[in-house]
Amino acid sequence: MSTPAKLKWRSVAKWGLYALIAFVLYILQVTPNVFVFWGVKPDFLLPCAVGVALLEGDFRGGLFAVVCGLLYDMAFTRLFGFNGLLFLTVCVCIGLLSLYYFRPNLINFLLFSVTAMLLVYSVNFVFKYLIWGYSGAGMYYVRSVLLCAAWSLLFSPAIYFALRSIHRRLSPSED
Amino acid sequence: MKDFFSSKKFKILMAVAALLIGFMIYAAVNIDWGHFGSDAIGAITAPFQKLSATISKAANDFFDRFINYDKYFKENQTLRDKVNELTGKLVDYEELQRENEQLREILGLKEEHADFEFSAPADVIGREPNDPFATFTIDKGSLHGLELYDPVITKDGLVGWISEVSYTSAKVCTILNPEMKIGCYDVESAEIGVLKGDPELAEEGRVRLAHLPRNADTVKPGATIATSGTSGLFPKGLVVGEVEQVHEDEQGISMYAVVKPACNVAEINSVFVLTDFFGKVDYNAQDSGEVGE
């Protein structure tokens, strides 16, 4: 039987490892020429936020998503807080859905990831390109939204399995 | 799910959302403020980014070898061809430069001796190992118009003669060799003697001018010795060397001089062969047996 101190330690270790994964993914995200394919770099932070939301639920997942979103804002010089808010909204929804309707598994994670990516990238696309009336927006959409989502999806399972492994080993319910 | 919207968690999340909206508005108004977070996180992540970039570069370079193998292979082939071509050109260039220098020397000699006919400049391509008389082989032969006993010279003076000739190469017997006997004279005093190789003097790269008259005190150290041309084997006036010492010979009948050759025959790399000159006697056509002065 776990003591409260042990449970607390496990919780701290779990969120510390989540944070470490987010940090490593952030580093990969901002390092030039890493996994760049056809000029498109995959997104690691959003699948990470989605994975944590799926495994940890609405509240904690939402707060973790805010951190990932703010990292995203820092990495891409966007309006500070914009992606934090987007990540929060999307991940709270995913957390709630996982709590009531969807079991956390790889298929659901991939579905949520694709949906989240398309939503977040599309909103970014609208505010970054569409409303300014830039030419070649369609091509940009294909590259920055569709290709990026597809490419990111290839890496997502690895992120999910890493998060799930931490979750299974360090969550109190699994003790 | 209804419980969620009325829960404390929802209120906290809404507060966070409001805070984020506040951040956005503040960041939109104060453009520099948005960079604060980036700068702070950048300071923390920079070393890791550097490490990550180094690793990724190494990985990229590693996989790049395999992915672009064909490209690099072709590029390598092209560059190799280019290097070979340039090396060939460099060799040609150096050859031409050397040939040019040699031709200039020939020109100088030609101006001095209008009757001289030269072969193409010949390079020393081999030397007899441990030969005290410095016999060597040149890269020109009968194909280039060389004949037996043709004089071999440099711009400085006499070297020897052709002792063996093949189609594309020839062996040169130098003036250090005792077989060589050349009629010479002291340019200043006009005393005549016979220049021949001496095994002892050859060790020092010197030759003997023998058979000088006993009263030949006019031959002094520093005097220039040249060929007399009496045999028709060598042209007249070809510089051989310089007198270093004058001694009485072993029999006490005559005097001899130790002559330092004008060119260091043991170290020369290229020579000319005199194929014709005024007064040349063709010893190849004769069956005289003994050749010399």
Side-chain angles (χ1 to χ4, degrees):
Chain A
M1 197 171 174
S2 299
T3 61
K6 199 175 178 183
L7 286 174
K8 193 180 175 185
W9 180 88
R10 278 173 163 254
S11 181
V12 168
K14 182 175 72 175
W15 286 99
L17 286 172
Y18 284 159
L20 184 68
I21 286 181
F23 183 74
V24 170
L25 293 176
Y26 171 77
I27 298 289
L28 286 176
Q29 194 77 67
V30 293
T31 304
N33 303 320
V34 177
F35 304 120
V36 175
F37 194 63
W38 284 338
V40 178
K41 187 165 188 164
D43 180 6
F44 303 115
L45 284 169
L46 187 51
C48 178
V50 169
V52 172
L54 194 66
L55 294 165
E56 299 294 336
D58 50 5
F59 183 66
R60 289 172 181 175
L63 292 179
F64 188 80
V66 170
V67 174
C68 289
L70 291 177
L71 284 174
Y72 206 88
D73 284 327
M74 288 171 191
F76 297 99
T77 331
R78 291 191 181 129
L79 188 62
F80 190 70
F82 179 74
N83 280 296
L85 191 64
L86 271 178
F87 276 41
L88 171 69
T89 312
V90 169
C91 289
V92 166
C93 293
I94 289 168
L96 284 171
L97 288 169
S98 76
L99 214 59
Y100 296 105
Y101 304 109
F102 294 91
R103 287 181 59 208
N105 59 35
L106 181 65
I107 303 296
N108 288 338
F109 167 75
L110 291 175
L111 279 172
F112 284 132
S113 289
V114 168
T115 312
M117 282 190 275
L118 289 175
L119 269 171
V120 171
Y121 300 161
S122 296
V123 172
N124 270 294
F125 169 74
V126 169
F127 283 99
K128 198 174 177 184
Y129 274 84
L130 207 62
I131 61 170
W132 303 104
Y134 294 147
S135 60
M139 182 53 75
Y140 182 81
Y141 186 82
V142 171
R143 279 172 64 90
S144 72
V145 178
L146 301 180
L147 269 179
C148 181
W151 190 214
S152 304
L153 211 60
L154 281 176
F155 290 89
S156 298
I159 296 170
Y160 175 72
F161 287 128
L163 295 172
R164 194 183 67 176
S165 174
I166 294 165
H167 176 76
R168 281 186 178 172
R169 283 166 202 274
L170 298 170
S171 286
S173 56
E174 299 292 324
D175 196 26
Chain B
M1 196 180 288
K2 282 180 185 173
D3 296 342
F4 172 72
F5 292 107
S6 57
S7 69
K8 195 177 169 186
K9 287 178 186 176
F10 179 70
K11 285 169 190 163
I12 293 170
L13 290 174
M14 287 306 289
V16 171
L19 192 68
L20 290 172
I21 291 167
F23 278 164
M24 284 168 61
I25 294 166
Y26 195 76
V29 176
N30 301 287
I31 294 164
D32 291 340
W33 186 82
H35 297 300
F36 170 75
S38 306
D39 292 345
I41 199 96
I44 299 164
T45 57
F48 296 99
Q49 270 178 259
K50 197 174 175 185
L51 177 71
S52 173
T54 308
I55 294 167
S56 87
K57 189 180 177 304
N60 278 343
D61 290 349
F62 179 76
F63 289 113
D64 187 54
R65 287 178 210 161
F66 299 100
I67 295 165
N68 294 314
Y69 174 80
D70 285 342
K71 186 184 145 196
Y72 292 142
F73 183 76
K74 279 177 192 162
E75 202 173 291
N76 185 273
Q77 289 290 103
T78 313
L79 288 172
R80 271 170 189 272
D81 291 346
K82 214 165 235 178
V83 166
N84 288 339
E85 191 189 320
L86 288 172
T87 308
K89 275 184 182 170
L90 191 68
V91 169
D92 289 348
Y93 167 77
E94 284 181 358
E95 198 111 303
L96 283 171
Q97 198 180 23
R98 201 170 64 244
E99 205 171 294
N100 186 276
E101 281 167 17
Q102 289 167 337
L103 289 171
R104 276 173 191 275
E105 287 173 9
I106 288 180
L107 192 67
L109 286 167
K110 262 284 203 194
E111 280 170 5
E112 281 177 40
H113 309 277
D115 57 316
F116 286 5
E117 288 294 331
F118 295 96
S119 71
D123 289 328
V124 177
I125 55 169
R127 282 189 180 275
E128 282 190 17
N130 306 317
D131 178 25
F133 312 123
T135 309
F136 59 86
T137 308
I138 55 173
D139 64 347
K140 297 287 184 293
S142 56
L143 179 70
H144 307 94
L146 270 58
E147 289 179 353
L148 205 59
Y149 311 124
D150 278 348
V152 178
I153 62 168
T154 67
K155 68 176 172 53
D156 298 319
L158 184 66
V159 174
W161 69 26
I162 301 289
S163 59
E164 285 175 38
V165 63
S166 67
Y167 197 57
T168 54
S169 66
K171 200 163 260 185
V172 177
C173 177
T174 70
I175 52 175
L176 299 181
N177 198 307
E179 286 178 23
M180 294 278 282
K181 293 179 183 67
I182 308 164
C184 289
Y185 71 103
D186 176 355
V187 174
E188 285 150 38
S189 66
E191 291 287 356
I192 292 169
V194 176
L195 190 91
K196 55 183 181 182
D198 181 300
E200 276 179 39
L201 292 176
E203 293 283 330
E204 299 160 21
R206 304 290 186 266
V207 287
R208 176 189 282 239
L209 180 64
H211 307 310
L212 292 171
R214 267 194 73 81
N215 59 351
D217 53 352
T218 46
V219 178
K220 290 178 179 154
T224 302
I225 305 298
T227 52
S228 58
T230 48
S231 67
L233 204 57
F234 299 98
K236 189 183 176 187
L238 206 57
V239 175
V240 173
E242 187 183 289
V243 173
E244 272 191 342
Q245 297 157 18
V246 181
H247 300 286
E248 193 176 274
D249 73 3
E250 291 79 3
Q251 288 78 34
I253 303 168
S254 59
M255 305 286 282
Y256 75 93
V258 175
V259 177
K260 181 187 177 188
C263 57
N264 188 349
V265 293
E267 289 179 8
I268 48 175
N269 296 316
S270 63
V271 294
F272 311 112
V273 180
L274 271 180
T275 54
D276 199 14
F277 53 88
F278 180 72
K280 181 182 181 182
V281 175
D282 190 357
Y283 281 89
N284 295 296
Q286 298 176 12
D287 191 18
S288 59
E290 179 87 0
V291 177
E293 315 246 324

